[in-house]
Amino acid sequence: MPIVTAILAMILPFTPVKGQDPDGALVYALPQTVINLEVEAIRENFHAGPYAKYAKKYLGIDVRQANGQTSHLNSVKLCAVTEADQTSRYTIVPGKGLPAFLSLTAQGLVSTGNGLSGDNMAWQFAEDGKGDFSGKGLSSNFTSETTTLYRNVNGASQGIRQEMIVEKTSEDKAKEAAEMIFKLRKMRVQIVTGDTDATYSGEAMSAVLQELTRLEHEYYTLFAGYSDFSTQKTTFAVIPEKGTDAARYIAFRVSDSEGLVDSDNISGKPYVLEIVPEPVSAPATSAQSKSNSARYRIPAICSVRLKDGMEVLLQTRIPVYQMGRDSSFPLNGK
């Protein structure tokens, strides 16, 4: 829509915080632009495998040794909305020229029913889950050990063999799991190459290979661990300041442990929104403001960039009212 027709904003009805608005006068507010950033982040919650410290020894691989969380930005959507600037409210005494005035600015009027009710709540992460490696692996938790006991019989030492059930150590179980991984890999190669007594073909071969792969992955996670992924979506609002030539705002932050956080949470990595207005030429002629005049606001067209350090993630141009110019024109042709 034309800039001229989008220069005023009116609040109807309007209830002031303090005092009363004058009776018989039209109360309106100038518009301001609010930049909403709809942000989506992916959070990884990593669970280290119980046999992680033995992965190098038995599998020859380096794996992460401790639980941890990481978050990274997945998508950002910028949406500029217009709302009333409650710091720039004015009154107009109705007169003969008022109907034409309303017709001129009909598309620029805003009201409290513009959908910015704040009903959309940001979803937060649930409590971190715990790594679950139960049920993975087929080996027993116990093993048998043979112990020789000695006693003196008629002056001679006599040995008695006794078998005892003891719990396996973590390294014993890790060794068995590694042996199973190599066994499953060998079985898969034998089936593919036909080096086996059993005959598989078609869907039967596919099913067997899938099951062997699933079992191998299950044992492998005991060493390499696994990750849970979750998505967080939050909307952050940036209100540019009036009368500034250029501005930089920390729009939001991303924390490894908490995901998307507000700009004042220094635990997260900052994402900066740069707003640079384009030059505006002075009007060709100027007019003196009348006592009964209407204030209006012409927005500045701004280049907006969202940056991650030096990298530009998003760039666009939008009109920002409060960074533009305020002026007035007389009513009733006087």
Side-chain angles (χ1 to χ4, degrees), residues 41-261:
I42 303 297
R43 185 188 187 197
E44 177 191 9
N45 191 28
F46 176 73
H47 308 280
Y51 306 152
K53 65 180 180 180
Y54 305 111
K56 186 68 173 179
K57 180 177 181 179
Y58 291 114
L59 296 179
I61 58 174
D62 294 315
V63 299
R64 295 162 66 177
Q65 300 291 319
N67 297 337
Q69 296 83 33
T70 56
S71 298
H72 68 272
L73 200 62
N74 188 48
S75 67
V76 179
K77 179 181 178 182
L78 185 149
C79 179
V81 297
T82 303
E83 64 181 31
D85 182 354
Q86 299 295 351
T87 65
S88 299
R89 301 176 68 249
Y90 300 94
T91 60
I92 296 176
V93 178
K96 293 182 180 180
L98 189 58
F101 161 73
L102 287 176
S103 176
L104 174 66
T105 62
Q107 297 181 51
L109 301 179
V110 296
S111 68
T112 54
N114 61 355
L116 300 177
S117 59
D119 292 335
N120 296 325
M121 302 299 292
W123 179 79
Q124 299 295 330
F125 286 124
E127 181 180 359
D128 292 339
K130 304 297 183 182
D132 182 12
F133 294 93
S134 61
K136 291 181 171 62
L138 302 176
S139 61
S140 169
N141 196 41
F142 299 95
T143 187
S144 61
E145 290 184 354
T146 300
T147 304
T148 301
L149 304 178
Y150 293 90
R151 65 177 181 176
N152 191 291
V153 179
N154 297 325
S157 179
Q158 182 177 354
I160 301 176
R161 297 177 63 84
Q162 180 177 350
E163 188 173 273
M164 301 176 61
I165 302 299
V166 296
E167 184 177 0
K168 294 178 182 177
T169 66
S170 295
E171 184 169 1
D172 290 336
K173 290 185 282 188
K175 182 180 179 181
E176 288 184 0
E179 291 172 349
M180 180 60 72
I181 290 174
F182 291 120
K183 182 178 179 180
L184 291 168
R185 290 176 179 176
K186 182 178 179 180
M187 291 173 62
R188 187 165 58 241
V189 171
Q190 288 175 336
I191 292 174
V192 171
T193 59
D195 185 18
T196 176
D197 294 335
T199 302
Y200 300 96
S201 61
E203 294 183 359
M205 176 179 287
S206 176
V208 170
L209 293 177
Q210 287 180 7
E211 182 62 16
L212 290 175
T213 301
R214 185 192 68 80
L215 288 173
E216 180 188 341
H217 176 73
E218 191 171 276
Y219 277 98
Y220 189 80
T221 59
L222 295 172
F223 294 90
Y226 68 95
S227 296
D228 294 324
F229 293 92
S230 54
T231 302
Q232 182 187 24
K233 296 181 180 180
T234 306
T235 299
F236 299 94
V238 175
I239 304 178
E241 297 180 0
K242 291 190 206 177
T244 54
D245 293 332
R248 288 167 55 91
Y249 303 91
I250 297 179
F252 58 91
R253 294 176 184 263
V254 178
S255 166
D256 280 339
S257 59
E258 301 179 48
L260 295 172
V261 295

